mmCIF file of all heavy atoms in Angstrom:
data_model
loop_
_atom_site.group_PDB
_atom_site.id
_atom_site.type_symbol
_atom_site.label_atom_id
_atom_site.label_comp_id
_atom_site.label_asym_id
_atom_site.label_seq_id
_atom_site.Cartn_x
_atom_site.Cartn_y
_atom_site.Cartn_z
ATOM 1 N N VAL A 39 -4.850 -8.545 -13.890
ATOM 2 C CA VAL A 39 -4.833 -9.711 -12.963
ATOM 3 C C VAL A 39 -5.714 -9.484 -11.851
ATOM 4 O O VAL A 39 -6.523 -10.360 -11.395
ATOM 5 C CB VAL A 39 -3.426 -9.993 -12.542
ATOM 6 C CG1 VAL A 39 -3.342 -11.117 -11.484
ATOM 7 C CG2 VAL A 39 -2.462 -10.424 -13.656
ATOM 8 N N ARG A 40 -5.787 -8.312 -11.232
ATOM 9 C CA ARG A 40 -6.611 -7.943 -10.158
ATOM 10 C C ARG A 40 -8.088 -7.563 -10.584
ATOM 11 O O ARG A 40 -8.899 -7.299 -9.747
ATOM 12 C CB ARG A 40 -5.922 -6.874 -9.270
ATOM 13 C CG ARG A 40 -4.605 -7.105 -8.810
ATOM 14 C CD ARG A 40 -4.059 -6.026 -8.024
ATOM 15 N NE ARG A 40 -2.689 -5.860 -8.064
ATOM 16 C CZ ARG A 40 -1.844 -4.947 -7.410
ATOM 17 N NH1 ARG A 40 -2.533 -4.068 -6.706
ATOM 18 N NH2 ARG A 40 -0.620 -4.997 -7.475
ATOM 19 N N ARG A 41 -8.191 -7.337 -11.906
ATOM 20 C CA ARG A 41 -9.405 -6.865 -12.543
ATOM 21 C C ARG A 41 -9.825 -5.515 -11.953
ATOM 22 O O ARG A 41 -10.988 -5.325 -11.541
ATOM 23 C CB ARG A 41 -10.554 -8.021 -12.384
ATOM 24 C CG ARG A 41 -10.212 -9.252 -13.111
ATOM 25 C CD ARG A 41 -11.439 -10.185 -13.198
ATOM 26 N NE ARG A 41 -12.536 -9.509 -13.841
ATOM 27 C CZ ARG A 41 -12.683 -9.442 -15.213
ATOM 28 N NH1 ARG A 41 -11.695 -9.956 -16.002
ATOM 29 N NH2 ARG A 41 -13.797 -8.873 -15.769
ATOM 30 N N ARG A 42 -8.894 -4.596 -11.751
ATOM 31 C CA ARG A 42 -9.098 -3.366 -11.137
ATOM 32 C C ARG A 42 -8.543 -2.140 -11.825
ATOM 33 O O ARG A 42 -7.521 -2.259 -12.380
ATOM 34 C CB ARG A 42 -8.339 -3.499 -9.690
ATOM 35 C CG ARG A 42 -8.574 -2.288 -8.815
ATOM 36 C CD ARG A 42 -7.943 -2.494 -7.525
ATOM 37 N NE ARG A 42 -6.486 -2.214 -7.463
ATOM 38 C CZ ARG A 42 -5.746 -2.375 -6.418
ATOM 39 N NH1 ARG A 42 -6.268 -2.826 -5.257
ATOM 40 N NH2 ARG A 42 -4.395 -2.031 -6.405
ATOM 41 N N CYS A 43 -9.383 -1.072 -11.657
ATOM 42 C CA CYS A 43 -8.788 0.281 -12.043
ATOM 43 C C CYS A 43 -8.423 0.988 -10.743
ATOM 44 O O CYS A 43 -9.288 0.878 -9.708
ATOM 45 C CB CYS A 43 -9.756 1.112 -12.720
ATOM 46 S SG CYS A 43 -9.886 0.811 -14.464
ATOM 47 N N PHE A 44 -7.244 1.476 -10.615
ATOM 48 C CA PHE A 44 -6.771 2.157 -9.439
ATOM 49 C C PHE A 44 -6.602 3.724 -9.755
ATOM 50 O O PHE A 44 -5.944 3.974 -10.705
ATOM 51 C CB PHE A 44 -5.442 1.529 -8.917
ATOM 52 C CG PHE A 44 -4.702 2.267 -7.764
ATOM 53 C CD1 PHE A 44 -5.419 2.402 -6.562
ATOM 54 C CD2 PHE A 44 -3.493 2.830 -7.959
ATOM 55 C CE1 PHE A 44 -4.890 3.068 -5.511
ATOM 56 C CE2 PHE A 44 -2.917 3.540 -6.878
ATOM 57 C CZ PHE A 44 -3.577 3.572 -5.699
ATOM 58 N N VAL A 45 -7.264 4.517 -8.959
ATOM 59 C CA VAL A 45 -7.310 5.891 -9.231
ATOM 60 C C VAL A 45 -6.562 6.614 -8.173
ATOM 61 O O VAL A 45 -6.806 6.541 -7.025
ATOM 62 C CB VAL A 45 -8.778 6.551 -9.164
ATOM 63 C CG1 VAL A 45 -8.747 7.989 -9.514
ATOM 64 C CG2 VAL A 45 -9.580 5.642 -10.225
ATOM 65 N N THR A 46 -5.511 7.325 -8.464
ATOM 66 C CA THR A 46 -4.848 8.231 -7.594
ATOM 67 C C THR A 46 -4.247 9.474 -8.309
ATOM 68 O O THR A 46 -4.527 9.651 -9.573
ATOM 69 C CB THR A 46 -3.581 7.477 -6.958
ATOM 70 O OG1 THR A 46 -3.011 8.266 -5.919
ATOM 71 C CG2 THR A 46 -2.584 7.117 -7.944
ATOM 72 N N TYR A 47 -3.587 10.350 -7.558
ATOM 73 C CA TYR A 47 -3.301 11.596 -8.201
ATOM 74 C C TYR A 47 -2.381 12.538 -7.180
ATOM 75 O O TYR A 47 -2.466 12.286 -5.967
ATOM 76 C CB TYR A 47 -4.635 12.458 -8.397
ATOM 77 C CG TYR A 47 -5.573 12.310 -7.378
ATOM 78 C CD1 TYR A 47 -5.644 13.107 -6.230
ATOM 79 C CD2 TYR A 47 -6.587 11.266 -7.468
ATOM 80 C CE1 TYR A 47 -6.555 12.823 -5.255
ATOM 81 C CE2 TYR A 47 -7.532 11.043 -6.440
ATOM 82 C CZ TYR A 47 -7.542 11.805 -5.305
ATOM 83 O OH TYR A 47 -8.413 11.606 -4.391
ATOM 84 N N PRO A 48 -1.669 13.425 -7.635
ATOM 85 C CA PRO A 48 -1.052 14.464 -6.868
ATOM 86 C C PRO A 48 -2.175 15.380 -6.333
ATOM 87 O O PRO A 48 -3.333 15.359 -6.958
ATOM 88 C CB PRO A 48 -0.126 15.230 -7.805
ATOM 89 C CG PRO A 48 0.000 14.348 -8.985
ATOM 90 C CD PRO A 48 -1.256 13.543 -9.095
ATOM 91 N N PRO A 49 -1.918 16.315 -5.349
ATOM 92 C CA PRO A 49 -2.909 17.220 -4.954
ATOM 93 C C PRO A 49 -3.575 17.986 -6.094
ATOM 94 O O PRO A 49 -2.772 18.549 -6.893
ATOM 95 C CB PRO A 49 -2.345 18.035 -3.851
ATOM 96 C CG PRO A 49 -1.132 17.230 -3.385
ATOM 97 C CD PRO A 49 -0.755 16.410 -4.579
ATOM 98 N N PHE A 50 -4.934 18.249 -6.203
ATOM 99 C CA PHE A 50 -5.532 19.187 -7.093
ATOM 100 C C PHE A 50 -6.651 19.842 -6.474
ATOM 101 O O PHE A 50 -7.220 19.337 -5.593
ATOM 102 C CB PHE A 50 -5.909 18.309 -8.331
ATOM 103 C CG PHE A 50 -7.047 17.429 -8.215
ATOM 104 C CD1 PHE A 50 -8.312 17.833 -8.528
ATOM 105 C CD2 PHE A 50 -6.856 16.052 -7.845
ATOM 106 C CE1 PHE A 50 -9.409 17.032 -8.331
ATOM 107 C CE2 PHE A 50 -7.913 15.208 -7.654
ATOM 108 C CZ PHE A 50 -9.198 15.662 -7.990
ATOM 109 N N ALA A 51 -7.102 20.914 -7.050
ATOM 110 C CA ALA A 51 -8.291 21.642 -6.632
ATOM 111 C C ALA A 51 -9.347 21.629 -7.590
ATOM 112 O O ALA A 51 -9.022 21.800 -8.869
ATOM 113 C CB ALA A 51 -7.842 23.139 -6.215
#
Side-chain angles (χ1 to χ4, degrees):
V39 173
R40 305 179 206 180
R41 298 191 60 78
R42 182 175 84 183
C43 275
F44 174 60
V45 183
T46 189
Y47 39 86
F50 71 91

